[in-house]
Amino acid sequence: MSKYTTHEYDVLVIGAGGAGLRAAIEASGSGVTCGLVCKSLLGKAHTVMAEGGMAAALANVDERDSWTTHFADTMRGGQYLNNWRMAELHAKEAPDRVRELEAWGAVMDRTKDGKILQRNFGGHKYPRLAHVGDRTGLEMIRTLQDHGIHQGIQVHMEVTVVELLTDGERVIGAFAYERDHGRFVVFKAKAVVMATGGIGRAFRITSNSWEYTGDGHALAYLAGADLMDMEFIQFHPTGMVWPPSVRGILVTEGVRGEGGILTNSEGRRFMFDDIPDAYTSSTSDNEEEGWRYVTGDKSARRPPELLTRDHVARCIVREVKAGRGSPHGGVFLDIAWIKQHISDSEAHIKKKLPSMYHQFKELANVDITQEPMEVGPTTHYVMGGIKVDGDSQMSTVPGLFAAGECAAGLHGANRLGGNSLSDLVVFGKRAGEYAAKFAKDNSTGQVNDDQVSKIAAWAEAPFERGNSGENPFTIQSDLQVMMQDKVGIVREENELNEALDALEKLKARAEHAAADVNRDYNPGWHTAMDLRNLLTVSEASARSALQRTESRGAHTRLDHPDKNDEEAKVNNVVRKGSDGQMLIERIPITPIRNDLQQIIEENK
Amino acid sequence: MPQVTFRISRGSTHQDSQFVDYQTDITEGMVVLDAVHQIQEESAPDLACRWNCKAGKCGSCSAEINGKPRLMCMTRMDTIPTDQPVTIEPMKAFPRIRDLVTDVSWNYEVKKRIKKFKPRKPDAPDGTWRMQQVDVDRVQEFRKCIECFLCQNVCHVLRDHHKHDEFSGPRHYVYTAALEMHPLDTEDRIKDVKDEQNIGYCNITKCCTKVCPEHITITDNAIIPLKERVGDEFYDPVRKLFRIFRPGK
């Protein structure tokens, strides 16, 4: 059997972005031992890329805001497929989690009276996003990191988990490898928190880094957990489109929150052309009112650029398809135009959107204070994930918890911008708390040596294939092109079926992915192993997308262009069948509590 | 653009490394990291390189390109000469793990030893504080740091004199300065800055400031003010006199 070292903790947290760090801080603070596994170096997780801000009804900028409005906004944005209990807890607890970050050293932008400043964002009725320029995620992860390192958390950097270890029904640890020299590690834990982020690497055009291979989703699924809402993948409306090598890199919604407008090749603000019914009363129908809104006029309605992401992305696709796109297949996002209203607009833009300014200046040779950007949709976020209990964040497998992007429920069919960073800290804390409680109530499980030797052999297999095997990068790239093409922004039945066929072929190829030389920091080997997770989440998304015969939120079906009332009553869940096949089940949504329904009605 | 030759340093230690040449096609807008990825896909799947965001936000892909310390993801191919081989080497101030990847864990150990943030009592009954934007501007500049460790890499105290045991380096002066100048912080780290972090070794050559991809004015805004605070507290003649009469202070 392959050699491995063993570490033992009460709680093991897998993933060290905002959710994982917050979970680890909570667990270690409640008196249990805690190990934190990060795929990259500490502080480099995807949270670092979050730009716009963290939604919380602090009511610092508009005193009319409250948790009830935030709750109603989140539910409307998610087209009511959300786990309403999570939406409730999130709206209620986000303000405390933001204030807590300040107590731990975060330095957010300020209002004139010295409080935390909040900005406008799509789908939020009031200015609600606490932020630091356009680098809010960096501020969050650094604050949690710098606080966490003094909490006695044992951090394992550049370690990748390849399988969860089970004892009967229960998850009792994880099998992993260390990136630097490829040594194997077994973590024994009484409770495991998944905080591994998303699946964006399954697509060609994405704002996500190499880490985002759906590890948490796939590992939980393979350990028997339910995945929910996997058809809902958010395509952020504004990614860079030119030059080709930066295609997909995120352009923050904060650009629009600060007054940026979307125009087509005819110079028309096309977002005025299609405003969904649910938003007509809260959306301005003229440019003058839209500008007043972004400059803080409380009587004005928001400009249509700040509609929800799913809708803005569809409008952009429509313009491009109609031949009114920009030279490189996107549309124009213009913040420079505010010079018509602001005399020192150049300094203002650089202050409010510093990293956007640098990103375009350095990567595209575009000065955003003077000229428009070219943007188009990019795979950004998965609303679907591990199905969890709203209060405790425990999955359907005992001992396995999930928080952040890899968990499902809060966002329903579409996530509002800014609700992700608050999600991380609200449910990261809860997952850490309940995982610690579970660890206190349960003993250590028994590691099954047979499971360990099987997975170790699987991990070593790519080296045995040598020259007869296939280059893993080629397989990954073919998968990304296929998913972009057939399970992308607009879907239809025959293409989804073709996707499922293609996935079977890719699975067979992945079993022949080969690695060369040795196990020291070998990206080819890592990619060969990541393929299994990418293929699992891709299949879950394609199957769920096929099942949902309607268009709702981020899920658009050309063959079912409208919403369907029957579909509004169910979430799609996938789980592993006893024969290893992926099963899909439609689960009725739990009827909402009356008081919460009333809040939704009052905010309509 | 045509095919370009990349001369990449490969090996498991700095001593036993060697340059290997790779050719790859360069297209419009490509950055050095794209070229490295392309080489991985085409001819060297085991070529080790660390990266994450590819947008200059995470600070993972630090390397030395044609001898200059930079982020590979923010170095456009059209800004460097391509008529001769482009050399890519790992950072030199840290031990090499493999190829372009170095062991930067020392930085994380150093940071742990710096006293954590300790806020004053909240200003308002609801447990919140009040701070003016003008008072946090400086701290926000320091908090832009993406921990790419390029400043550490070029600091001669670390790179040439290997004083890793005594000297914490520019990154950690920026970190300490952010804590010391935080309007809410009540901790005193100045004695440690002098005795543990040995800021006196820095002779303000500003190499760190020059390579910072976040354009943090490390020397002028972080290091010099910290040196001044050390000077004020420990080398001010009037204060020194006071200390003679009030020992222990």
Side-chain angles (χ1 to χ4, degrees):
Chain A
M1 187 153 114
S2 294
K3 277 194 231 159
Y4 59 84
T5 49
T6 305
H7 299 278
E8 195 169 336
Y9 299 107
D10 291 322
V11 173
L12 178 72
V13 180
I14 303 173
L21 274 163
R22 189 63 190 80
I25 288 169
E26 196 63 21
S28 63
S30 63
V32 301
T33 59
C34 180
L36 177 62
V37 176
C38 14
K39 201 166 169 179
S40 289
L41 296 173
L42 187 61
K44 310 291 186 197
H46 224 284
T47 304
V48 88
M49 293 194 67
E51 293 165 353
M54 187 175 357
L58 297 162
N60 286 353
V61 173
D62 195 319
E63 69 286 353
R64 293 172 295 180
D65 202 8
S66 69
W67 80 263
T68 54
T69 323
H70 190 184
F71 166 77
D73 286 351
T74 302
M75 293 296 292
R76 187 192 302 115
Q79 308 262 342
Y80 306 103
L81 288 188
N82 321 53
N83 174 331
W84 46 262
R85 176 62 176 159
M86 284 173 80
E88 177 195 11
L89 290 170
H90 170 254
K92 280 182 175 166
E93 294 175 6
D96 280 345
R97 297 287 81 75
V98 172
R99 288 191 277 261
E100 177 177 80
L101 288 175
E102 183 151 285
W104 293 347
V107 186
M108 284 169 268
D109 288 351
R110 318 307 299 178
T111 62
K112 286 209 170 63
D113 55 352
K115 296 179 184 170
I116 295 169
L117 181 62
Q118 298 181 272
R119 70 158 46 122
N120 287 309
F121 237 57
H124 293 282
K125 189 168 182 190
Y126 301 116
R128 191 175 282 147
L129 270 68
H131 63 277
V132 187
D134 53 5
R135 54 161 195 86
T136 315
L138 172 65
E139 189 67 21
M140 173 186 272
I141 202 166
R142 201 65 82 229
T143 301
L144 292 171
Q145 171 189 346
D146 295 347
H147 184 75
I149 55 175
H150 298 286
Q151 295 274 110
I153 301 162
Q154 196 64 43
V155 181
H156 298 266
M157 295 201 287
E158 297 198 312
V159 171
T160 305
V161 174
V162 284
E163 186 158 276
L164 292 176
L165 301 175
T166 48
D167 182 357
E169 292 263 282
R170 192 183 143 198
V171 165
I172 48 103
F175 180 86
Y177 65 85
E178 295 170 343
R179 188 163 298 271
D180 56 356
H181 299 298
R183 287 175 297 239
F184 292 143
V185 190
V186 165
F187 293 100
K188 293 169 78 172
K190 294 174 187 163
V192 173
V193 178
M194 276 293 176
T196 52
I199 66 165
R201 254 358 232 188
F203 294 83
R204 188 169 61 88
I205 300 172
T206 176
S207 63
N208 294 176
S209 85
W210 69 274
E211 291 191 294
Y212 260 35
T213 49
D215 295 6
H217 294 76
L219 298 179
Y221 166 83
L222 293 169
D226 287 359
L227 303 184
M228 187 174 85
D229 292 340
M230 289 300 287
E231 67 272 38
F232 295 113
I233 295 167
Q234 180 165 77
F235 297 91
H236 193 291
T238 59
M240 293 178 81
V241 297
W242 190 259
S245 70
V246 299
R247 186 156 194 157
I249 292 180
L250 187 65
V251 180
T252 176
E253 191 166 322
V255 175
R256 285 170 281 144
E258 298 295 341
I261 57 172
L262 290 164
T263 58
N264 61 21
S265 60
E266 296 162 2
R268 180 176 173 76
R269 272 180 80 175
F270 57 85
M271 287 306 300
F272 280 112
D273 298 343
D274 178 10
I275 296 166
D277 293 343
Y279 290 95
T280 41
S281 63
S282 57
T283 308
S284 60
D285 51 15
N286 64 84
E287 303 192 3
E288 181 270 336
E289 185 181 2
W291 174 251
R292 279 196 284 120
Y293 176 89
V294 295
T295 49
D297 181 343
K298 290 177 186 170
S299 67
R301 294 170 300 171
R302 83 186 83 168
E305 276 84 0
L306 289 178
L307 286 164
T308 54
R309 289 176 173 178
D310 52 340
H311 180 73
V312 180
R314 272 193 299 273
C315 290
I316 292 175
V317 171
R318 179 194 70 208
E319 291 303 307
V320 175
K321 279 201 170 154
R324 296 188 293 266
S326 66
H328 301 105
V331 294
F332 297 105
L333 172 62
D334 190 359
I335 184 73
W337 83 284
I338 65 170
K339 63 183 162 215
Q340 294 174 19
H341 293 281
I342 298 180
S343 54
D344 60 341
S345 67
E346 199 176 318
H348 179 80
I349 293 166
K350 284 185 193 168
K351 165 78 192 164
K352 291 290 182 182
L353 303 162
S355 74
M356 284 305 103
Y357 173 76
H358 284 291
Q359 186 172 310
F360 274 89
K361 191 87 190 141
E362 288 173 35
L363 295 175
N365 254 339
V366 167
D367 180 350
I368 67 167
T369 67
Q370 304 301 328
E371 46 190 325
M373 300 158 246
E374 272 189 77
V375 297
T378 179
T379 316
H380 184 54
Y381 188 91
V382 59
M383 273 66 75
I386 302 164
K387 183 171 183 286
V388 290
D389 172 72
D391 287 82
S392 69
Q393 298 296 105
M394 189 155 91
S395 72
T396 51
V397 171
L400 180 64
F401 298 75
E405 189 173 350
C406 73
L410 172 60
H411 309 294
N414 174 58
R415 176 176 70 85
L416 296 186
N419 270 359
S420 176
L421 286 186
S422 40
D423 173 10
L424 304 183
V425 277
V426 167
F427 293 106
K429 176 189 183 291
R430 282 186 164 265
E433 181 185 334
Y434 284 90
K437 203 174 274 178
F438 187 94
K440 285 176 188 168
D441 294 343
N442 288 275
S443 56
T444 312
Q446 187 64 43
V447 172
N448 177 342
D449 290 336
D450 195 36
Q451 188 186 5
V452 172
S453 42
K454 263 192 199 146
I455 188 66
W458 177 85
E460 285 170 332
F463 287 104
E464 285 150 21
R465 293 171 195 142
N467 289 336
S468 65
E470 189 176 354
N471 181 337
F473 291 110
T474 315
I475 305 172
Q476 181 176 263
S477 158
D478 290 351
L479 169 69
Q480 291 165 340
V481 171
M482 189 283 289
M483 286 295 286
Q484 188 79 37
D485 197 27
K486 302 198 187 297
V487 197
I489 304 179
V490 284
R491 301 152 174 182
E492 54 187 329
E493 184 176 339
N494 56 351
E495 289 198 345
L496 290 167
N497 279 319
E498 284 165 24
L500 289 169
D501 288 343
L503 283 169
E504 287 308 311
K505 294 192 184 97
L506 286 160
K507 273 189 213 164
R509 283 170 64 191
E511 281 170 24
H512 296 283
D516 204 4
V517 189
N518 63 34
R519 274 153 61 170
D520 292 354
Y521 219 107
N522 186 334
W525 181 43
H526 307 152
T527 303
M529 288 186 282
D530 286 344
L531 283 173
R532 181 201 57 191
N533 299 340
L534 279 171
L535 287 160
T536 306
V537 295
S538 295
E539 184 181 348
S541 292
R543 285 200 189 284
S544 305
L546 189 60
Q547 186 72 43
R548 185 168 288 280
T549 48
E550 65 161 351
S551 293
R552 178 182 300 274
H555 172 67
T556 306
R557 286 278 298 258
L558 276 181
D559 45 352
H560 299 279
D562 300 313
K563 278 185 214 166
N564 172 336
D565 290 344
E566 288 308 305
E567 295 287 325
K569 296 174 190 161
V570 291
N571 294 113
N572 288 323
V573 161
V574 298
R575 78 171 65 93
K576 198 173 130 191
S578 50
D579 57 352
Q581 290 295 102
M582 190 176 280
L583 306 176
I584 186 152
E585 190 183 341
R586 289 152 67 78
I587 297 204
I589 292 173
T590 319
I592 191 168
R593 260 187 7 237
N594 286 337
D595 57 321
L596 295 178
Q597 184 60 42
Q598 204 178 329
I599 290 169
I600 289 173
E601 297 304 329
E602 282 163 6
N603 280 279
K604 261 186 179 157
Chain B
M1 259 191 265
Q3 270 217 331
V4 173
T5 302
F6 289 84
R7 188 156 288 171
I8 301 179
S9 174
R10 301 205 59 179
S12 309
T13 63
H14 289 307
Q15 292 75 27
D16 295 334
S17 65
Q18 53 187 14
F19 283 105
V20 181
D21 283 2
Y22 300 92
Q23 270 89 33
T24 197
D25 287 330
I26 298 300
T27 51
E28 186 178 351
M30 265 173 84
V31 294
V32 169
L33 183 61
D34 293 319
V36 170
H37 285 156
Q38 217 165 279
I39 290 163
Q40 277 179 341
E41 284 169 33
E42 290 165 358
S43 50
D46 69 316
L47 170 61
C49 124
R50 185 184 272 139
W51 71 286
N52 274 50
C53 76
K54 214 174 104 58
K57 293 190 170 73
C58 76
S60 299
C61 63
S62 307
E64 300 189 3
I65 300 161
N66 285 341
K68 291 207 178 76
R70 322 199 34 181
L71 295 178
M72 287 190 277
C73 72
M74 295 303 278
T75 306
R76 282 168 59 112
M77 286 306 301
D78 57 13
T79 62
I80 50 176
T82 49
D83 52 347
Q84 49 202 329
V86 177
T87 63
I88 313 179
E89 297 165 87
M91 292 194 282
K92 304 278 174 53
F94 307 110
R96 193 187 306 222
I97 293 174
R98 187 177 181 192
D99 305 336
L100 302 177
V101 179
T102 54
D103 177 0
V104 293
S105 56
W106 168 79
N107 292 288
Y108 292 83
E109 296 306 316
V110 172
K111 193 192 234 185
K112 252 195 223 173
R113 296 200 290 267
I114 297 167
K115 286 180 192 158
K116 66 187 275 194
F117 176 64
K118 191 170 141 194
R120 69 178 182 227
K121 285 214 175 76
D123 301 331
D126 66 353
T128 60
W129 289 272
R130 300 291 176 271
M131 291 183 272
Q132 289 304 312
Q133 184 62 42
V134 62
D135 295 323
V136 299
D137 278 343
R138 175 57 48 83
V139 179
Q140 287 187 332
E141 181 199 356
F142 299 147
R143 293 184 66 89
K144 285 196 302 186
C145 172
I146 57 174
E147 300 197 330
C148 65
F149 307 125
L150 285 171
C151 58
Q152 309 286 70
N153 182 46
V154 294
C155 176
H156 63 100
V157 182
L158 298 171
R159 188 182 178 105
D160 300 325
H161 303 289
H162 311 291
K163 295 283 186 193
H164 295 70
D165 291 341
E166 301 160 54
F167 183 76
S168 62
R171 160 59 192 137
H172 297 107
Y173 299 128
V174 168
Y175 175 67
T176 308
L179 289 165
E180 285 290 305
M181 297 181 201
H182 194 305
L184 306 184
D185 184 68
T186 58
E187 188 60 86
D188 182 0
R189 301 169 189 83
I190 297 305
K191 187 171 188 308
D192 289 352
V193 170
K194 170 174 155 289
D195 297 335
E196 308 293 327
Q197 297 184 253
N198 283 304
I199 200 168
Y201 291 3
C202 164
N203 55 357
I204 52 175
T205 51
K206 297 199 178 184
C207 306
C208 50
T209 306
K210 274 185 210 127
V211 299
C212 178
E214 285 292 310
H215 311 290
I216 300 169
T217 34
I218 302 173
T219 317
D220 290 355
N221 288 352
I223 295 181
I224 291 176
L226 283 180
K227 279 176 173 275
E228 284 170 352
R229 289 181 187 203
V230 169
D232 282 351
E233 204 161 319
F234 294 97
Y235 302 105
D236 179 71
V238 179
R239 280 199 176 197
K240 213 165 188 175
L241 209 61
F242 269 115
R243 264 199 300 276
I244 293 169
F245 295 109
R246 292 169 60 196
K249 195 56 190 158

